[in-house]
């Protein structure tokens, strides 16, 4: 099947296990009886955010993030349908080293031919599908792409998220997701 349709794929929480690796590293720095906070908890104290920043600033941290199966399932499905897969990832504003390591991660885990956009505003980037675990990014991107489809690999932060042009993939409903992806081609 020949198509010029583009499927954009997020990295952290989609193709790369940011959350899993971050929780593991935070655990190592946690004191006895210390309160545990959720990773994306805006109300967590300042020191918690500072720990995250220190962990992320380590050389090689982004490059060595493990692959996330749920995202690679979706990538294979998109490729099988004939979509051109491209990477669309946030460049962390305060961690410039991550921008380069994210590119290296893609070369190592996906291949050197994949096209990559590292950006501070995903909503501006053209595509037919965006696969991204963040409800915030999916919503913003769908606003700018009237015919676009959003696909969310299941993460705690997108539990219960609903949008008429989005579908959540929890590892068990690949056929339903494939159907929605295919409808973008028709
Ligand atoms: Mg993400």
């Amino acid at each position: 099947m020949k198509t010029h349709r583009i499927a954009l794929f997020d990295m952290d929480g989609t193709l790369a296990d940011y959350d899993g690796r971050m929780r593991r590293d935070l655990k190592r720095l946690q004191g006895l009886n210390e309160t545990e906070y959720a990773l994306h908890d805006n109300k967590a104290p300042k020191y918690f955010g500072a720990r995250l920043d220190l962990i992320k600033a380590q050389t090689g941290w982004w490059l060595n993030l493990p692959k996330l199966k749920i995202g690679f399932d979706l990538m294979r499905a998109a490729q099988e349908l004939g979509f051109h897969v491209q990477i669309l990832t946030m460049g962390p504003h305060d961690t410039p080293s991550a921008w380069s390591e994210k590119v290296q991660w893609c070369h190592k885990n996906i291949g050197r031919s994949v096209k990559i956009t590292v950006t501070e505003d995903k909503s501006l980037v053209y595509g037919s599908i965006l696969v991204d675990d963040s409800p915030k990014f999916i919503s913003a991107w769908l606003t700018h792409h009237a015919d676009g489809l959003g696909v969310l690999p299941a993460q705690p932060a997108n539990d219960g998220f609903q949008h008429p042009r989005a579908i959540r993939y929890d590892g068990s409903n690949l056929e339903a997701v494939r159907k929605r992806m295919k409808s973008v081609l028709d």
Side-chain angles (χ1 to χ4, degrees):
M1 190 189 303
K2 275 252 186 267
T3 172
H4 297 289
R5 301 289 191 152
I6 290 168
L8 301 164
F9 275 74
D10 165 50
M11 289 178 66
D12 305 320
T14 296
L15 294 171
D17 191 11
Y18 171 98
D19 289 39
R21 184 49 59 91
M22 183 56 89
R23 273 195 296 266
R24 185 202 74 172
D25 290 353
L26 279 169
K27 200 100 199 149
R28 293 165 64 199
L29 299 174
Q30 196 180 330
L32 279 178
N33 306 321
E34 207 179 329
T35 311
E36 277 192 48
Y37 297 96
L39 274 189
H40 307 284
D41 182 353
N42 299 330
K43 290 185 193 107
K46 265 194 170 164
Y47 78 84
F48 184 75
R51 268 184 207 172
L52 260 71
D53 288 343
L54 277 176
I55 289 170
K56 290 189 282 192
Q58 295 173 98
T59 304
W61 191 81
W62 299 85
L63 177 57
N64 292 312
L65 289 181
K67 287 161 82 168
L68 204 53
K69 182 183 179 297
I70 202 166
F72 277 82
D73 283 352
L74 292 167
M75 188 161 75
R76 196 173 324 110
Q79 284 167 333
E80 283 169 1
L81 287 167
F83 285 94
H84 288 274
V85 166
Q86 298 194 5
I87 302 305
L88 178 60
T89 186
M90 278 289 284
H93 191 78
D94 297 318
T95 320
S97 60
W99 292 55
S100 114
E101 288 194 18
K102 280 174 168 239
V103 174
Q104 293 174 62
W105 190 95
C106 290
H107 288 171
K108 180 174 126 187
N109 293 288
I110 302 167
R112 297 192 71 86
S113 60
V114 69
K115 291 200 163 49
I116 305 160
T117 303
V118 188
T119 181
E120 292 192 287
D121 187 351
K122 291 185 179 185
S123 70
L124 303 176
V125 179
Y126 170 79
S128 298
I129 296 179
L130 172 64
V131 181
D132 197 307
D133 64 303
S134 158
K136 191 177 99 188
F137 293 151
I138 287 280
S139 300
W141 184 85
L142 286 173
T143 303
H144 286 82
H145 295 77
D147 300 321
L149 171 70
V151 182
L152 298 99
Q155 291 286 357
N158 61 35
D159 196 11
F161 176 78
Q162 294 217 327
H163 188 290
R165 284 186 287 120
I167 182 166
R168 190 168 181 263
Y169 173 58
D170 62 10
S172 73
N173 57 333
L174 193 56
E175 234 5 86
V177 175
R178 214 191 293 266
K179 259 192 196 143
R180 290 292 294 273
M181 285 180 166
K182 195 166 179 292
S183 71
V184 173
L185 297 171
D186 298 336

